[in-house]
Amino acid sequence: MHAEDLPMSHQLAETVRRHTDGREGYIATPIKGFAFLRADRRQQHPTHLVSRPVLCMVAQGAKCSIFGGRRYDYRAGQALVVSVEMPGLSRVTRASPAEPYLCAVLEFDPTGMREMLENMPAPPALAGHAHHGIFVADFAGAPAECVLRLARLLDTPEAIPVLAPMVLRELYYWLLAGPNGGEIASAVLGSGHTQRMMKVLHKLRDQFREPVRIDDLAAIAQLSPSAFHRQFKALTSVTPLQYQKQLRLLEARHLMLAGLANAESAAYRVGYESPSQFSREYARMFGAPPRRDVAALNPAVA
């Protein structure tokens, strides 16, 4: 069987395997915003992260991610679409040295998507209200072909500056013209309430150490406090306070793992006034108290 006769995910898997060359983790490519993920074994413990708007197309293996208490399982031939910045966790659930987990990751470019939206003869209708910004979809046909062509461009680096922008434009077209086009456009580009909710998320991200005032956030969203609370949870599956708490705990964990702070100083640096409250909430999120969690992940800084 010729390579072009294989299913799209198999062709992408072969290309990703070649370009990762046995390396694991997040592997950037010369194409801006385009990267590969590889894991040779299932993960026993989840990875915690703050995800930016991305398309994650699985070429081989399987993974699960949890955002706001909702679980998303996706496997070869499927894609996770995250169209809003969200703290969450993920774990590779199917991988082995013989058949590693392989994934192509593309960060959405709002400028490129906005230009495509303006030039589409029949653009998708933008949602006028907040909606849940994460979903799993089967990934085949024209969008999958575009991702495969992007990956194959790495074999001809001299062609990347000329052809990669063209392939990305085509991919944005198919994503926006597809069944989830309105949802992607609304969350990534912003419109109406959704655009204002994006401003709220950015404020929480940039000022997560500061106390949260729901009235102030509702004013940014131009909603009543009760309506704001409902729409925020519809978009993220968590409350504003829970969203802030996850950002604080993720930053504290980063500080401790990097050896930049101990548990007590990390608590104060991310905005906690009580180290004991910090320890309780940290254990709830990560499954172990701060010192024990850090010692298990990086004994050198414990």
Side-chain angles (χ1 to χ4, degrees):
M1 180 180 289
H2 296 292
E4 58 270 19
D5 296 326
L6 293 170
M8 200 72 64
S9 60
H10 289 194
Q11 296 181 52
L12 181 60
E14 288 304 310
T15 305
V16 175
R17 184 192 291 268
R18 281 194 297 105
H19 286 284
T20 54
D21 191 28
R23 293 171 291 168
E24 291 190 79
Y26 181 90
I27 301 164
T29 77
I31 300 173
K32 184 179 179 181
F34 188 57
F36 298 138
L37 286 174
R38 176 175 177 146
D40 290 349
R41 290 172 180 78
R42 294 175 55 207
Q43 289 178 288
Q44 298 301 316
H45 304 287
T47 300
H48 291 74
L49 72 161
V50 178
S51 180
R52 293 185 179 275
V54 292
L55 167 73
C56 303
M57 180 179 173
V58 181
Q60 186 169 273
K63 197 172 192 179
C64 75
S65 295
I66 297 176
F67 295 97
R70 296 190 185 186
R71 174 173 171 144
Y72 302 86
D73 290 281
Y74 44 108
R75 51 180 169 70
Q78 294 185 315
L80 175 74
V81 180
V82 181
S83 53
V84 57
E85 288 190 20
M86 275 290 293
L89 55 87
S90 65
R91 183 170 66 88
V92 173
T93 55
R94 186 185 307 158
S96 69
E99 294 189 1
Y101 171 79
L102 302 169
C103 178
V105 180
L106 177 68
E107 288 192 28
F108 289 125
D109 172 22
T111 301
M113 295 192 80
R114 186 174 292 110
E115 290 175 355
M116 176 53 64
L117 195 66
E118 292 171 352
N119 286 284
M120 291 178 71
L126 301 181
H129 56 84
H131 55 278
H132 197 56
I134 303 169
F135 59 88
V136 172
D138 291 335
F139 204 70
E145 290 177 5
C146 290
V147 174
L148 178 60
R149 294 212 309 275
L150 275 179
R152 286 178 170 169
L153 272 179
L154 299 174
D155 293 326
T156 52
E158 68 279 3
I160 289 175
V162 177
L163 298 182
M166 298 168 61
V167 179
L168 285 170
R169 280 178 55 82
E170 183 182 349
L171 174 59
Y172 291 152
Y173 173 85
W174 292 118
L175 290 174
L176 292 168
N180 301 110
E183 184 174 5
I184 294 173
S186 295
V188 175
L189 306 180
S191 173
H193 288 318
T194 303
Q195 184 177 33
R196 293 190 288 273
M197 292 297 267
M198 292 302 109
K199 291 181 180 178
V200 171
L201 293 180
H202 292 160
K203 179 178 176 65
L204 285 171
R205 180 196 64 196
D206 296 338
Q207 301 178 21
F208 65 85
R209 298 172 179 84
E210 305 300 322
V212 168
R213 288 179 49 84
I214 297 300
D215 288 350
D216 293 344
L217 299 179
I220 295 173
Q222 298 180 25
L223 294 167
S224 69
S226 58
F228 164 73
H229 199 276
R230 286 196 304 273
Q231 292 214 23
F232 189 96
K233 195 164 185 181
L235 180 66
T236 66
S237 293
V238 294
T239 67
L241 289 174
Q242 290 169 330
Y243 188 94
Q244 181 200 46
K245 183 189 301 182
Q246 292 178 13
L247 292 176
R248 284 180 168 183
L249 294 172
L250 284 167
E251 175 63 13
R253 195 189 209 198
H254 166 72
L255 291 172
M256 290 185 292
L257 286 172
L260 300 175
N262 59 25
E264 185 173 356
S265 61
Y268 290 124
R269 286 176 64 173
V270 301
Y272 278 89
E273 296 180 359
S274 166
S276 60
Q277 180 189 1
F278 166 73
S279 185
R280 286 194 303 272
E281 294 183 352
Y282 188 101
R284 246 182 246 123
M285 180 166 174
F286 297 113
R291 290 182 180 83
R292 191 192 310 165
D293 178 59
V294 172
L297 294 172
N298 189 357
V301 299

